[in-house]
Structures are given as C-alpha cells and as structure tokens.
Amino acid sequence: MANLSELDLQNLRHLMGGYDVTHCKMKEYAQCASDMKVKQFFEKGAQSAKQNKQQLMEYLR
C-alpha cells in the first residue's frame, strides 16, 4: 500500500466514523419501527454500514 498522507488518514477516520454513526442510527431506527418492512430496511442498512467499515479496515491492514 502506498504511503498515506495525514489528510488521507483524516479522511479515512471520518469515513469510518460515519459508518459507525450510520450503523448506530439504523439499528436504533430498526428497534423503534413497528412495520416489519421498515424494520428490515433499517436492519439491512445497519448491517451494510458495519460491513463497509470492516471491509475498509481489512483493506488498511
């Protein structure tokens, strides 16, 4: 992997933080949803955000 600049690292940290926030919010929305389709939509979004962060972390290793 090429050397990353400080700006690159800050951008990656911001991206991963965004995935964390999205995961938490979607999970909370899913817990509050009464409609099953809405609940599944938010659960899928939460899982997707978690997977995206994990994939990014794997790439950086």
Side-chain angles (χ1 to χ4, degrees), residues 16-59:
M16 287 188 274
Y19 285 136
D20 280 336
V21 169
T22 300
H23 175 257
C24 290
K25 284 185 176 186
M26 294 278 191
K27 213 167 120 178
E28 178 68 23
Y29 296 154
Q31 289 173 354
C32 294
S34 55
D35 183 279
M36 192 50 121
K37 286 187 179 185
V38 173
K39 185 179 195 74
Q40 289 173 344
F41 173 82
F42 286 122
E43 286 173 344
K44 185 177 176 184
Q47 185 63 29
S48 177
K50 185 177 180 180
Q51 288 173 342
N52 288 341
K53 182 185 175 191
Q54 288 173 341
Q55 288 175 345
L56 183 56
M57 298 276 293
E58 284 294 318
Y59 177 74

